Amino acid sequence: MSASGATAPEPPASALHTSGPPTKGEPAHGIPGLTHASRGTAYGLAAYGLWGLFPLYLQTLRPSGAVEVLAHRVLWSLLICLGVLAVMGRLRWIGSLLQRPRMLAAVSVAGVLIATNWTVYTFAVLSEHVTEAALGYFLNPLVTVGLGVVLLRERLRRLQWLAVGIGAVAALYITLDYGRPPWISLALACSFATYGLVKKRVGTSLSAIQSLTAETLVIAPVALSVVIWLAVTGQQTFGAEGTGHTLALAGAGLATAVPLLLFAAAARRVPLSTIGLLQFLTPVLQLLTAVLLLGESMPASRWAGFVLVWVALVLLTADSLVHGRRTRRAARAARDRQSSLAAPTVTATTAT
């Protein structure tokens, strides 16, 4: 999950040219004393921590509006990605992508969805609705499960049904507390969950850097058109608000790419269950940032709604951990049975 407007968590990125993992307990190369898994956890904490603190960075981009920020985020991210691919000697991959219409269509849809997510999130931060944005990323896992049921006909286990039910009650309660539906939260949760669904269909055929390159590439013409339109109409802040502001807007690309690459490094080193737990760091930091640093109000009644969401997430996480443990245990038992069945055959062959 990227929270804070970053691209969604992906499977391990096979195209980033790293060596195989060290053996269990072996110190990770480059970080003395850390095992391979510990290094992955550190990368994950860094990625989700940066996403969680992203509202503070967006605050420095005022007086730019959400659309201008999005345009520069797309264009500078694309330039960074193209630079990384050039260093890796993989620019030719773009040509092969253009020759695969189905893959290109999928990443185009993903690009539109993540651009929508980024725009809504940026608007939320610049309009002082960070708490509502944080709620959106808390709701995201529940919406993802709901999409799995509706679109993929997935069957839920009891704890999952209970979690979704509590989440629905929480959304209704928060709607009544706001006096309106929490549109920002729902837009962020739905756009990000749908983005994740599209990414699942794409599968592991693209690495993290390739995904970000493709998704920014397909929406770059729109982003460039926005920048040109703002310049022609005299509404552009890039270059008009001082050197610091100009560098901050350009840095939005780096702020997008770095957490994603850290996440890709983490996903290749730690189990998905660990990633699932780490992802909650982002909305927690967003919420704390909004209340403690940005001065957004959070009445007690709204805290109650958040608590309901957290209860649902605890149930969902517990179910995931228990189910994962049972699955691994069953797989281990199956391997043991195969080994025991194969043992007599090996012995007999050796005897003859």
Side-chain angles (χ1 to χ4, degrees):
M1 164 182 80
S2 153
S4 70
T7 51
E10 298 177 13
S14 59
L16 292 182
H17 292 296
T18 56
S19 58
T23 56
K24 185 176 181 180
E26 179 185 345
H29 179 70
I31 306 182
L34 286 185
T35 64
H36 192 66
S38 297
R39 188 183 184 188
T41 302
Y43 286 142
L45 286 171
Y48 285 112
L50 288 172
W51 281 328
L53 297 175
F54 198 61
L56 297 177
Y57 182 84
L58 289 178
Q59 290 289 332
T60 68
L61 302 184
R62 297 176 184 275
S64 300
V67 175
E68 183 177 10
V69 171
L70 170 68
H72 282 279
R73 191 174 181 184
V74 169
L75 294 175
W76 292 107
S77 295
L78 177 58
L79 287 176
I80 291 172
C81 289
L82 291 176
V84 172
L85 288 176
V87 171
M88 295 169 62
R90 290 178 171 264
L91 279 177
R92 291 183 179 180
W93 162 81
I94 297 176
S96 64
L97 174 66
L98 297 177
Q99 297 173 5
R100 301 168 64 186
R102 294 185 63 180
M103 178 66 73
L104 184 59
V107 297
S108 297
V109 172
V112 171
L113 287 169
I114 200 60
T116 301
N117 185 272
W118 287 353
T119 304
V120 173
Y121 183 79
T122 305
F123 169 79
V125 174
L126 297 180
S127 61
E128 300 180 352
H129 288 86
V130 178
T131 55
E132 198 170 339
L135 174 62
Y137 289 111
F138 278 126
L139 289 174
N140 176 69
L142 299 170
V143 175
T144 299
V145 171
L147 286 179
V149 173
V150 174
L151 299 180
L152 304 180
R153 299 289 188 267
E154 294 179 352
R155 293 185 177 182
L156 299 187
R157 297 177 291 275
R158 289 182 180 179
L159 275 183
Q160 289 177 314
W161 275 118
L162 182 59
V164 171
I166 293 175
V169 171
L172 177 61
Y173 173 86
I174 291 171
T175 296
L176 295 175
D177 181 65
Y178 272 105
R180 58 171 177 80
W183 294 117
I184 290 175
S185 304
L186 295 175
L188 289 174
C190 291
S191 61
F192 204 67
T194 308
Y195 172 80
L197 180 64
V198 173
K199 300 287 282 185
K200 182 177 180 180
R201 293 298 179 92
V202 173
T204 59
S205 55
L206 299 181
S207 69
I209 189 68
Q210 288 174 331
S211 292
L212 184 58
T213 302
E215 290 158 16
T216 52
L217 183 63
V218 296
I219 57 179
V222 177
L224 183 59
S225 299
V226 168
V227 170
I228 294 173
W229 178 77
L230 289 172
V232 170
T233 57
Q235 301 179 62
Q236 180 174 256
T237 65
F238 185 79
E241 296 291 332
T243 303
H245 180 266
T246 299
L247 293 176
L249 266 180
L254 196 64
T256 297
V258 169
L260 177 69
L261 295 178
L262 285 170
F263 171 81
R268 291 167 41 247
R269 290 170 170 82
V270 298
L272 286 178
S273 57
T274 302
I275 292 294
L277 293 174
L278 288 176
Q279 71 176 336
F280 296 123
L281 175 64
T282 293
V284 167
L285 285 177
Q286 290 174 352
L287 183 60
L288 292 176
T289 298
V291 175
L292 300 179
L293 299 180
L294 300 180
E296 292 190 18
S297 62
M298 189 72 169
S301 58
R302 200 158 301 161
W303 279 113
F306 272 70
V307 168
L308 283 175
V309 174
W310 294 334
V311 169
L313 291 176
V314 168
L315 292 175
L316 200 62
T317 303
D319 175 84
S320 176
L321 293 174
V322 171
H323 181 69
R325 191 178 299 115
R326 289 176 179 172
T327 301
R328 290 191 296 272
R329 193 176 300 161
R332 193 180 304 115
R335 287 196 299 269
D336 291 343
R337 283 196 300 270
Q338 290 178 350
S339 299
S340 62
L341 291 174
T345 303
V346 173
T347 303
T349 302
T350 303
T352 57

